[in-house]
């Protein structure tokens, strides 16, 4: 079917169900960062293949909302589809509900105006917000899946890759112990059950992993935890007899994936907890089919906090994974400086070579996200993704922003380094100035010492301060949480200007990644991962508990880009101490020639 034929089929169903409009978001039922192709309904109906977008279809119009990262792509892919591009990053672009209210509330219709959505694709909170905003104009939101009846040809199946049980040797905690902790948290909230839809929460809780999702070792499933029962809803073909026995012995029962919708109405719990941002509306509606039911909709669920606090086994594993990651990075940067440019290279070939070095490491399974390799001006595009047919060649002198990470059985890594390629004498003074501003902010956050209960937005200024003093800022967060052999982006706490009420906790792992982006010229970002630990008492301590960050990432900075005059004595000492530590940790893992290269990169400045 062409896009025009798909729109015609959808409008026929809209007419049948008396719907004035239908909304197709670019989401899935599990609030996933990376979706399986089965759920890419927005792309199917519109032809737009970007990672972020929402399609709105009326009887005579089709519109697609997406942000500025995808404007050029959308313009090309929507050609001939009758879809109009709505540039949601532009200040004058109405939101979807604003557009619907203005367009549809004036219709002269004897019937109530109804707009349809698939409730599986909306979180409980997202659905409620849209419903309430539309209701202000007398428009009714209706739960109806109209894509499934018409997407009957060549729809990819729900992933059928098998799960595998994840050893306590890496997880550091058993499934029964995690279930016991979760049930205690439910008692504190006076709830009898928890519905879990997000895949990384399920993987963490039940110590299971899989390959159903790009970059994140998850398996497609749902889970319901009750006081005396835990049920994993998953396609039975994905679970071997051995793994089924392991799960059973840990107190986990199995039911088919789709059975959750018939199971929830039979749930005997008096009060069920659901994470409003991660559990989809369809699950909520299934449970609420029975009158007088109670649901506590919270954000975040107790699992978000639990999984964010890494135990010592996880932290030790992450430290070990960082050492192997550092070996790969050292080999890559040595290759880049000494061999790479003897033959043609592009942003894509560099990313492929880095992947090859990482894949040589023990327990490596995948990248933790798609590598961002931005040469010169492309580095200024924060979420740049190089494509083989359009990526930049690496030629002449320039600056490379390389943001990458690996998934290892014992930890997840995420690192950004900005390096010079070419003749060092050609490095512009402005580039050095900007690089050093970023590095100063990066160090200031890494050195932070703060009282227990501090939130990330209270620390964010440390990374921004030197740039703000010169009227420079960046639009992304300074630090995101990082999972353990799980999602590279994890909540509930973060480090950014937004007021996130979740405090920083012991065992939280964050990125530390300030940046400067000069459009059309270059991008600079410097990123390490840090773990929260308790700070030692000082002579001035008055009884309060203080935290600090332990730097986990092991990789040198490109000191050729540093303007030494801009650094304080403390900052110079910090860099030299860090480089000495990197060399000490990694040298024993390298060949003699590789160790000699690393030594030159870690010399004191």
């Amino acid at each position: 079917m062409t896009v025009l034929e798909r729109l015609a089929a959808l409008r026929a169903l809209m007419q049948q169900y008396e719907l004035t409009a239908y909304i197709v978001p670019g989401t899935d039922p599990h609030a996933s960062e990376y979706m399986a192709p089965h759920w890419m309904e927005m792309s199917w109906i519109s032809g737009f293949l970007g990672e972020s977008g929402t399609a709105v279809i009326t009887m005579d119009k089709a519109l697609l909302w997406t942000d500025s990262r995808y404007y050029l792509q959308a313009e090309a892919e929507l050609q001939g589809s009758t879809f109009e591009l709505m540039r949601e990053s532009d200040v004058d672009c109405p939101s979807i509900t604003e557009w619907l209210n203005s367009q549809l509330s004036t219709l002269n219709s004897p019937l109530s105006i109804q707009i349809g959505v698939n409730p599986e694709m909306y979180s409980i909170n997202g659905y409620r917000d849209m419903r309430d905003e539309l209701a202000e104009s007398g428009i009714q939101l209706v739960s109806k899946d109209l894509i499934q009846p018409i997407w009957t040809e060549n729809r990819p199946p729900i992933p059928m890759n098998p799960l595998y049980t994840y050893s306590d040797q890496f997880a550091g905690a058993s499934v029964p112990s995690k279930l016991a902790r979760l049930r205690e948290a439910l008692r504190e909230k006076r709830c009898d059950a928890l519905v879990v839809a997000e895949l990384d929460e399920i993987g963490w809780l039940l110590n299971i992993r899989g390959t159903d999702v790009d970059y994140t070792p998850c398996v497609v499933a749902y889970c319901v935890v009750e006081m005396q029962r835990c049920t994993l809803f998953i396609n039975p073909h994905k679970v071997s007899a051995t793994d089924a026995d392991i799960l059973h012995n840990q107190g986990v029962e199995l039911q088919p994936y789709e059975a959750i919708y018939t199971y929830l109405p039979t749930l005997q719990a008096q009060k069920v907890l659901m994470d409003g941002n991660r559990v989809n509306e369809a699950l909520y509606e299934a449970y609420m089919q029975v009158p007088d039911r109670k649901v506590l909709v919270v954000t975040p669920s107790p699992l978000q906090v639990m999984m964010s606090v890494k135990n010592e086994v996880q932290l030790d594993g992450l430290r070990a994974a960082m050492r192997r990651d550092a070996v790969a990075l050292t080999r890559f940067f040595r290759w880049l400086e000494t061999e790479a440019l003897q033959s043609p290279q592009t942003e894509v070939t560099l990313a492929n070579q880095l992947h090859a070095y990482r894949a040589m490491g023990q327990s490596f399974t995948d990248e933790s996200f798609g590598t961002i390799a931005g040469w010169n001006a492309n580095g200024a595009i924060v979420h740049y993704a190089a494509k083989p047919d359009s990526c930049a060649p690496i030629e002449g002198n320039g600056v490379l922003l390389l943001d990458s990470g690996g998934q290892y059985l014992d930890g997840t890594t995420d690192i950004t380094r900005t390096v010079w390629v070419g003749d060092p004498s050609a490095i512009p003074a402005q580039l050095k100035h900007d690089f050093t501003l970023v590095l100063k902010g990066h160090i200031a956050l890494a050195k932070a010492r703060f009282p227990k209960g501090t939130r990330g937005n209270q620390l964010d200024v440390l990374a921004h301060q030197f740039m703000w003093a010169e009227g420079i800022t960046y639009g992304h967060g300074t630090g995101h949480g990082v999972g353990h052999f799980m999602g590279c982006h994890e909540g509930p706490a973060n480090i950014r200007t937004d007021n996130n009420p979740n405090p920083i906790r012991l065992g939280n792992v964050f990125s530390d990644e300030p940046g400067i982006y000069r459009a059309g010229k270059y991008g600079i970002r410097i990123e390490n991962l840090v773990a929260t630990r308790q700070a030692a008492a000082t002579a001035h301590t008055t009884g309060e508990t203080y935290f600090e960050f332990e730097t986990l990432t092991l990789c040198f900075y490109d000191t050729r880009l540093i303007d030494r005059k801009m650094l304080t004595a403390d900052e110079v000492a910090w860099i030299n101490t860090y480089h000495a530590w990197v060399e000490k940790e990694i040298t024993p893992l390298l060949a003699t020639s590789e160790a000699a290269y690393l030594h030159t990169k870690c010399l004191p400045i």
Side-chain angles (χ1 to χ4, degrees), residues 169-170 312-328 361-364 408-413 484 550 552-554 581 585-586 589:
Q169 167 194 349
F170 296 120
E312 282 305 314
V313 171
Q314 291 175 303
L315 291 171
D316 282 343
L318 183 53
R319 295 180 187 109
M322 287 292 183
R323 288 191 287 272
R324 294 193 298 278
D325 210 52
V327 169
Q362 180 184 358
S363 300
F364 175 82
Y408 301 86
L409 290 175
D410 46 1
T412 299
T413 69
H484 178 264
E550 171 195 355
L552 299 171
T553 303
L554 290 153
W581 173 60
E585 289 288 319
I586 306 307
L589 306 176

Side-chain angles (χ1 to χ4, degrees), residues 57-377:
I57 297 94
T58 67
M59 296 306 294
D60 59 356
K61 292 183 179 180
L63 306 97
L64 183 115
W65 272 258
T66 192
D67 64 64
S68 57
R69 293 174 296 167
Y70 302 103
Y71 286 173
L72 293 177
Q73 180 181 350
E75 287 173 354
E77 292 175 347
L78 296 179
Q79 287 289 328
S81 68
T82 71
F83 268 92
E84 177 185 349
L85 174 60
M86 303 294 286
R87 301 168 185 267
E88 67 182 14
S89 296
D90 296 1
V91 294
D92 58 346
C93 179
S95 69
I96 290 173
T97 51
E98 287 172 344
W99 186 89
L100 289 169
N101 281 333
S102 66
Q103 294 290 314
L104 304 184
S105 61
T106 58
L107 291 178
N108 185 17
S109 171
L111 303 174
S112 62
I113 300 171
Q114 298 185 118
I115 295 176
V117 296
N118 180 355
E120 289 185 69
M121 303 301 186
Y122 279 90
S123 69
I124 298 171
N125 287 344
Y127 188 95
R128 286 181 175 180
D129 290 345
M130 180 175 288
R131 178 197 63 196
D132 294 346
E133 290 175 23
L134 292 173
E136 293 177 3
S137 297
I139 299 173
Q140 181 181 359
L141 194 61
V142 176
S143 295
K144 199 73 179 177
D145 182 0
L146 298 190
I147 300 298
Q148 183 177 351
I150 60 176
W151 191 359
T152 57
E153 295 181 6
N154 303 318
R155 182 168 191 173
I158 294 174
M160 283 295 296
N161 303 318
L163 69 73
Y164 56 94
T165 52
Y166 186 56
S167 171
D168 293 0
Q169 167 194 349
F170 296 120
S174 68
V175 174
S177 69
K178 291 179 180 181
L179 288 172
R181 288 173 56 200
L182 176 58
R183 285 170 175 140
E184 182 58 33
L186 291 176
R187 289 188 189 96
E188 291 176 1
K189 294 181 179 295
R190 299 182 180 179
C191 291
D192 307 300
L194 173 71
V195 176
V196 191
E198 192 163 82
L199 304 183
D200 59 354
E201 292 182 2
I202 296 170
W204 178 85
L205 177 66
L206 303 183
N207 284 351
I208 57 175
R209 298 294 192 271
T211 57
D212 285 345
V213 180
D214 288 345
Y215 307 122
T216 308
C218 291
V219 59
V220 171
Y222 291 110
C223 184
V224 176
V225 180
E226 302 163 70
M227 288 305 174
Q228 303 298 327
R229 188 178 187 183
C230 176
T231 308
L232 177 66
F233 296 87
I234 188 169
N235 189 305
H237 297 293
K238 297 168 70 71
V239 188
S240 69
T242 299
D243 286 333
D245 286 341
I246 292 172
L247 289 166
H248 176 75
N249 292 335
Q250 294 172 329
V252 182
E253 302 177 21
L254 301 179
Q255 287 208 32
Y257 177 70
E258 296 82 2
I260 189 169
Y261 290 102
T262 54
Y263 183 86
L264 287 175
T266 69
L267 204 58
Q268 297 303 304
Q270 297 296 309
K271 191 176 183 182
V272 173
L273 189 150
M274 298 184 186
D275 188 319
N277 284 345
R278 293 172 175 84
V279 174
N280 68 61
E281 171 70 13
L283 296 176
Y284 174 82
E285 292 179 4
Y287 176 72
M288 294 300 291
Q289 289 178 29
V290 179
D292 302 322
R293 293 215 145 172
K294 295 181 180 179
V295 178
L296 176 61
V297 177
V298 300
T299 301
S301 85
L303 284 176
Q304 283 284 302
V305 174
M306 290 179 186
M307 67 190 292
S308 75
V309 176
K310 311 302 185 288
N311 58 48
E312 282 305 314
V313 171
Q314 291 175 303
L315 291 171
D316 282 343
L318 183 53
R319 295 180 187 109
M322 287 292 183
R323 288 191 287 272
R324 294 193 298 278
D325 210 52
V327 169
L329 288 157
T330 301
R331 289 172 175 162
F332 171 81
F333 285 122
R334 178 175 178 268
W335 169 81
L336 179 62
E337 280 194 44
T338 62
E339 301 177 38
L341 299 185
Q342 295 174 12
S343 58
Q345 301 292 339
T346 68
E347 294 164 327
V348 168
T349 62
L350 296 190
N352 291 341
Q353 185 62 52
L354 178 55
H355 178 93
Y357 281 126
R358 275 202 172 98
M360 295 166 60
Q362 180 184 358
S363 300
F364 175 82
T365 66
D366 196 1
E367 297 174 351
S368 56
F369 56 94
T371 295
I372 298 171
W375 175 246
N376 287 335

